[in-house]
């Protein structure tokens, strides 16, 4: 009777010698969050603060984040931004989409914040947080037909 062969202990490296594959940090650690997820958190923080004060007015409003604005026109000189778009030098930073009716369904109002244009304008994470808050406040003010200082007196 032959003795069973023992398999050699597996190396901690893959067969090409590149090392482990997968996450470098656990999922719960802040470093594991992507820039997009961190940006979503900044928008969510700003929205939650405003919803505490304007709960009734913002009850049906949806908030969304998109990476970049989608523009129907291809030539920059043809782009005409609506009054519900907050822009900086012709580049949209956010947009208010008013409530509307489509195919017999009521579509709630929506505030859309564009991630990449805001990230490009910020110097650091704190600056980005301030910029996101200002943009969200401006868009909520536009949606509610109020002054931004009335929406967020601390801003």
């Amino acid at each position: 009777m032959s003795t069973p062969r023992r398999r050699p202990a597996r190396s901690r490296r893959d067969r090409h010698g590149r090392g482990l594959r997968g996450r470098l940090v656990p999922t719960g650690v802040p470093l594991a969050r992507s820039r997009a997820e961190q940006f979503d958190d900044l928008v969510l923080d700003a929205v939650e603060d405003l919803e505490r004060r304007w709960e009734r007015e913002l009850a049906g409003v949806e908030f969304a984040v998109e990476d970049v604005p989608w523009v129907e026109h291809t030539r920059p000189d043809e782009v005409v931004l609506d009054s519900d778009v907050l822009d900086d030098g012709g580049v949209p930073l956010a947009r208010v989409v008013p409530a509307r009716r489509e195919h017999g369904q009521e579509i709630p109002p929506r505030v859309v914040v564009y991630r990449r244009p805001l990230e490009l304008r910020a110097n650091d994470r704190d600056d980005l947080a301030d910029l996101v808050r200002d943009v969200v406040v401006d868009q909520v003010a536009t949606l509610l037909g109020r002054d931004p200082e009335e929406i967020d007196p601390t801003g």
Side-chain angles (χ1 to χ4, degrees):
M1 183 167 158
S2 66
T3 57
R5 284 181 137 180
R6 278 188 110 184
R7 287 188 126 170
R10 276 211 116 151
S11 167
R12 301 265 313 157
R13 294 175 131 1
D14 70 356
R15 64 187 178 107
H16 299 288
R18 288 189 214 122
L20 295 174
R21 295 189 178 190
R23 292 190 168 273
L24 296 176
V25 293
T27 316
V29 176
L31 288 175
R33 299 189 53 78
S34 70
R35 280 189 4 223
E37 291 171 328
Q38 292 174 15
F39 186 87
D40 291 348
D41 290 342
L42 293 176
V43 172
L44 187 60
D45 290 344
V47 169
E48 285 175 347
D49 285 348
L50 294 177
E51 282 181 334
R52 281 189 211 109
R53 180 161 185 216
W54 300 95
E55 183 178 359
R56 188 173 43 86
E57 292 86 346
L58 297 176
V61 178
E62 294 179 351
F63 291 85
V65 173
E66 292 182 11
D67 285 337
V68 292
W70 185 80
V71 181
E72 292 181 32
H73 307 285
T74 55
R75 291 182 35 200
D77 58 335
E78 290 181 352
V79 176
V80 177
L81 300 175
D82 297 331
S83 61
D84 60 353
V85 176
L86 177 67
D87 71 326
D88 179 25
V91 177
L93 304 178
R95 172 179 211 125
V96 171
V97 181
R100 63 194 184 286
R101 195 162 193 71
E102 278 185 20
H103 309 292
Q105 286 187 323
E106 186 69 28
I107 308 294
R110 172 180 265 200
V111 173
V112 181
V113 179
Y114 301 118
R115 180 175 66 88
R116 293 291 296 145
L118 289 171
E119 285 178 336
L120 291 172
R121 281 161 181 74
N123 296 323
D124 56 25
R125 183 164 165 76
D126 291 336
D127 190 29
L128 181 60
D130 291 342
L131 187 56
V132 165
R133 182 171 184 84
D134 290 346
V135 166
V136 171
V137 166
D138 284 345
Q139 293 303 287
V140 167
T142 299
L143 181 68
L144 299 180
R146 298 180 184 249
D147 201 46
E149 287 79 28
E150 184 182 352
I151 299 298
D152 183 26
T154 63

